Amino acid sequence: MAAETIFVNTFTNGILGPDVPMLGPVRDGGVIVANTAPGCWGPMLTPAIRGGHEVCRPVLVEGAEPGDSIAIRILSIDVTSAGTASGNDLIHGDCCLGDPYVAGKCPGCGALYPPTRVEGTGKGCIKCAACGASAAPFEFTNGYTIAFDETRRMGLTLDRAAAEKAAAEARKFMATPDNSIQNPVVALAPCDIPGVAARMIPFVGQLGVVPVRPTPDSHNAQDFGSFLVGAPHEYAITQEQLADVTDGHMDINRVRAGAVLIAPVRVPGGGVYVGDMHAMQGDGEIAGHTADVSGVIAMRVSVLKGVTCGGPIILPLAEDLPLLARPFSAEEKALARRMAEERGVTLEESAPISFVGSGPTLNAATDCALKRAAAFLDTTVPEVMNRATITGNIQIGRNPGTVTATFLAPTAKLREKGVYDLIRDQYSL
């Protein structure tokens, strides 16, 4: 029997796919509440995690089948970490088999996916549990430890003394969930840019449904996913199989409380998963990583029967829409109607929609978003390009290759495709 609410506090080993044990099912219209573990740096320092992240176990949704989509409304996001650490990365090639996010290897004993432990703090504190060699595949080129205020509105980067104090109780400082196995990044005590203040605008970098084959979670998009093509480890894929990722790893900062994500189902039940919560991030995540945190997210999931799309669709908060893509005010509508009457033109009714695209480069990701939009709306890429130019824009989610193409689309077509009611409710149209 499907549950009204599913609580998630367990994690994958970094791999997503139809064979991963899933929770649920939750009923169509039910709620998922997940206590997420930090993504990126903690898992990157933990070779036993095979995907570069540590996302929550997926949840089956009652009635969801391939060819449908699942609408995921983010009800709330609450950061539980008191702070975290992050920065630019440097890869240690002797600590991995080709891909440091996926196939960590001990440089001492040669074990693949070795268990590790934290000894002390600072650079080199991640040790192989078997032989004692330093086994972290990454280190910082420029890093910081950042603390948050009690209301979780502001962050402040710490100096050496404060960073080392946080490192001494790293798991507590980060509120790392009990079932998480990641080594806490705060233990490294980076402190290269002390005294920097930053606003907290939390969102989730990973949200979506599972792909059709075992896929490392951080590579569940076509930019990082391209690293799997011809890889030397067991999760290698072909170029053709790259299209099977579900773009759950978006790192798009508009996926925050109040937003709606529409995810196309690839396996029975969908397998909704979440993780990689970020305290803040500018478009592009240009440092490669941002402030990864623990937190609690609540989501309402609804099955959209027969709604088929090539990739995720986002309905951001109205304030997060590009200015040109925001719904028209009453005054603007009246002016447009008057102009249409004067010129004998039938005025198109329209509403905002945002298509996610991914690819090995930003150009490829943009092409992907435009093609997905054109296919969904039964039109041409040139028409979508025109609409995105005069009624929206292209925004970078993550460099090197996730973007959104956001624009005003014809209301009649959105109704036909089964998404207008969601859009109407989201923007009070």
Side-chain angles (χ1 to χ4, degrees):
M1 182 176 178
E4 176 67 33
T5 305
I6 296 287
F7 296 94
V8 189
N9 68 348
T10 53
F11 306 94
T12 72
N13 69 343
I15 300 301
L16 292 165
D19 297 331
V20 173
M22 301 192 205
L23 301 174
V26 66
R27 76 167 182 86
D28 180 4
V31 172
I32 300 170
V33 179
N35 183 18
T36 67
C40 287
W41 270 102
M44 286 161 52
L45 299 173
T46 311
I49 298 174
R50 304 185 182 196
H53 284 167
E54 190 179 28
V55 299
C56 290
R57 281 179 62 188
V59 177
L60 297 169
V61 181
E62 181 183 35
E65 298 291 341
D68 301 332
S69 293
I70 298 174
I72 307 168
R73 179 176 292 279
I74 303 176
L75 304 176
S76 62
I77 293 178
D78 294 295
V79 174
T80 54
S81 297
T84 189
S86 191
N88 306 109
D89 68 68
L90 174 68
I91 296 170
H92 294 299
D94 60 342
C95 291
C96 64
L97 179 64
D99 188 331
Y101 294 94
V102 175
K105 182 184 72 173
C106 175
C109 64
L112 198 61
Y113 317 123
T116 52
R117 62 177 181 266
V118 179
E119 291 185 2
T121 61
K123 181 181 176 181
C125 70
I126 310 299
K127 307 290 188 181
C128 174
C131 73
S134 293
F138 297 87
E139 67 173 89
F140 289 114
T141 56
N142 183 277
Y144 55 88
T145 302
I146 186 168
F148 310 134
D149 78 294
E150 292 183 356
T151 65
R152 302 299 191 264
R153 291 185 297 172
M154 290 291 292
L156 182 70
T157 58
L158 305 180
D159 62 12
R160 180 166 301 280
E164 290 178 349
K165 182 179 179 180
E169 49 179 11
R171 284 185 68 93
K172 179 180 178 182
F173 187 71
M174 297 187 70
T176 308
D178 294 336
N179 292 313
S180 167
I181 68 168
Q182 67 179 259
N183 297 314
V185 61
V186 169
L188 273 61
C191 54
D192 293 321
I193 49 172
V196 176
R199 297 180 182 90
M200 290 184 68
I201 307 176
F203 70 101
V204 285
Q206 288 257 20
L207 181 60
V209 293
V210 301
V212 296
R213 63 176 44 82
T215 303
D217 49 18
S218 69
H219 292 18
N220 189 25
Q222 292 182 84
D223 53 350
F224 280 101
S226 65
F227 301 160
L228 300 175
V229 176
H233 52 71
E234 62 188 286
Y235 301 107
I237 60 174
T238 66
Q239 184 66 45
E240 291 72 25
Q241 290 171 330
L242 180 59
D244 292 333
V245 298
T246 63
D247 283 0
H249 183 207
M250 293 178 286
D251 283 336
I252 292 171
N253 57 21
R254 295 171 292 286
V255 184
R256 63 187 183 109
V260 178
L261 176 73
I262 300 172
V265 174
R266 301 291 181 84
V267 303
V272 173
Y273 76 94
V274 66
D276 194 26
M277 187 180 291
H278 296 169
M280 74 286 284
Q281 178 201 297
D283 285 358
E285 196 181 17
I286 202 63
H289 311 284
T290 186
D292 302 295
V293 292
S294 304
V296 176
I297 178 172
M299 306 168 286
R300 186 177 301 282
V301 293
S302 303
V303 178
L304 304 178
K305 296 301 294 183
V307 174
T308 302
C309 44
I313 293 172
I314 303 173
L315 307 181
L317 294 173
E319 64 195 74
D320 288 346
L321 287 168
L323 182 58
L324 289 175
R326 293 178 185 176
F328 295 121
S329 66
E331 181 180 358
E332 289 171 323
K333 288 180 180 178
L335 178 57
R337 280 195 297 269
R338 191 185 77 196
M339 294 174 63
E341 291 169 359
E342 290 174 350
R343 290 162 174 78
V345 176
T346 301
L347 180 64
E348 176 186 274
E349 295 292 331
S350 61
I353 191 167
S354 186
F355 294 87
V356 174
S358 69
T361 66
L362 289 174
N363 283 345
T366 300
D367 289 343
C368 175
L370 295 173
K371 289 176 181 177
R372 286 174 173 175
F376 185 76
L377 297 171
D378 299 324
T379 188
T380 65
V381 168
E383 178 181 326
V384 171
M385 294 170 75
N386 280 332
R387 289 182 179 275
T389 299
I390 66 172
T391 73
N393 70 11
I394 304 298
Q395 292 172 281
I396 301 172
R398 175 183 62 241
N399 189 57
T402 65
V403 306
T404 50
T406 308
F407 53 89
L408 295 173
T411 296
K413 181 58 67 171
L414 297 174
R415 282 198 179 96
E416 177 187 325
K417 292 297 181 175
V419 296
Y420 180 71
D421 288 349
L422 278 173
I423 296 170
R424 179 198 61 208
D425 294 344
Q426 179 72 348
Y427 301 116
S428 301
L429 300 178

